[in-house]
Amino acid sequence: MNFEREPTLSKTDSSGYLCMITGASSGLGLELCKIAATNGYALLVTGRKDLPPALVALKADLVHERGKVLDLIRKHAPDLVINCAGFGQYGPALNHSLDILEVNANAAIEITIEAARAMVVKKKPGVILNISSAAGCIPMPYMALYGAAKAALNSFSQSFDAEMRSSGIRILVSLPGPINTPFAERASNGKYKETKALTKEYAAKRIWRQIEKKKPYQVIDWKIKISVFIAKLFPRTSEKVIMNRLAKR
């Protein structure tokens, strides 16, 4: 599928399998759209901005318009769902909106449950992958709400996977680490830009491999694995390091 043009993908262009991706407007979500289309999936995509060519492209805000996304799931019962939508903010939690929890945790969890329910109704197997973060594995001062949301998503995904596995429905969670997307710039209101990060192309390929292998939990960046391990060994020291780093953003 050529993403440089504006064709509409029809079911006859694909293997008959449907893939729904949230947060598909740009960055990692858009890269995953490209890989899914290349692998023969018809796309159902959602996001707040311009969306790539798809069987259905739905502009929707997951805080106020989540019902539209859930209706899309009920209607089409996609075979693969990737929850990629999310955002964060740096700074004290006192200054942040609870929308961070709503998008990164509540929306992803509700979409996961509705997608699994649709698969059960259709009596078919499927895969749901949630894009999470290592921020959910350790305390994250100055990203407290984001870390809390991702902690909830990590725990829910692994628990729900155990519940649904016997039905042939898998719930996977991926923790990419920093990626060269506008996430950090937006989270810092333009003060900080991520330079030492994975490319979105590499991260998307690793995530797709996780989907193919149905690996339930994956931390992509080896440096993040080490950081999480050290943080659990020396929590107070790690807390100070994180506070100093994020306070600058």
Side-chain angles (χ1 to χ4, degrees):
M1 181 179 181
N2 187 348
F3 275 76
E4 300 302 315
R5 298 182 292 111
E6 293 296 329
T8 299
L9 183 66
S10 69
K11 280 194 174 182
T12 57
D13 295 324
S14 75
S15 61
Y17 290 105
L18 298 176
C19 173
M20 183 177 123
I21 300 177
T22 69
S25 300
S26 62
L28 183 60
L30 181 58
E31 289 303 317
L32 287 165
C33 286
K34 294 176 182 178
I35 294 178
T38 299
N39 281 272
Y41 282 83
L43 297 178
L44 314 174
V45 299
T46 75
R48 295 184 301 113
K49 299 179 181 178
D50 294 336
L51 291 163
L55 178 64
V56 178
L58 173 66
K59 286 189 179 181
D61 178 338
L62 289 181
V63 175
H64 304 105
E65 301 174 297
R66 191 150 74 236
K68 294 180 181 179
V69 179
L70 299 178
D71 287 343
L72 186 65
I73 292 170
R74 296 182 191 109
K75 180 178 180 179
H76 293 279
D79 304 274
L80 170 63
V81 174
I82 303 177
N83 273 311
C84 201
F87 77 102
Q89 288 179 292
Y90 300 133
L94 287 172
N95 301 333
H96 292 167
S97 167
L98 291 178
D99 285 354
I100 294 174
L101 288 175
E102 195 63 34
V103 173
N104 291 287
N106 293 351
I109 289 171
E110 189 171 7
I111 288 168
T112 299
I113 290 172
E114 201 59 50
R117 184 177 287 121
M119 292 170 187
V120 169
V121 169
K122 293 291 185 179
K123 297 180 180 179
K124 67 177 184 180
V127 175
I128 303 161
L129 181 134
N130 292 319
I131 304 295
S132 188
S133 170
C137 301
I138 55 177
M140 290 293 292
Y142 294 128
M143 280 194 89
L145 289 178
Y146 182 79
K150 294 305 186 181
L153 188 58
N154 290 347
S155 178
F156 169 78
S157 298
Q158 293 175 86
S159 301
F160 196 39
D161 182 54
E163 292 179 19
M164 300 305 301
R165 197 174 300 166
S166 62
S167 301
I169 298 168
R170 300 302 309 276
I171 317 298
L172 317 179
V173 61
S174 189
L175 288 64
I179 305 174
N180 64 342
T181 67
F183 177 92
E185 192 171 1
R186 290 171 182 164
S188 64
N189 292 319
K191 295 178 183 177
Y192 176 80
K193 188 173 183 179
E194 193 71 65
T195 55
K196 297 179 181 179
L198 301 175
T199 67
K200 54 184 180 290
E201 293 83 4
Y202 174 77
K205 287 177 182 177
R206 288 291 304 274
I207 290 165
W208 193 262
R209 199 175 307 156
Q210 179 183 359
I211 292 168
E212 291 179 328
K213 294 182 177 180
K214 296 182 174 64
K215 186 177 179 180
Y217 180 92
Q218 174 178 237
V219 181
I220 293 177
D221 191 334
W222 64 269
K223 296 187 291 297
I224 298 299
K225 288 183 183 180
I226 293 173
S227 297
V228 170
F229 177 74
I230 293 173
K232 289 181 178 179
L233 287 178
F234 308 103
R236 294 306 175 200
T237 301
S238 172
E239 184 179 288
K240 290 178 182 178
V241 170
I242 292 170
M243 282 189 74
N244 289 337
R245 185 183 301 163
L246 297 186
K248 299 174 183 178
R249 301 182 185 182

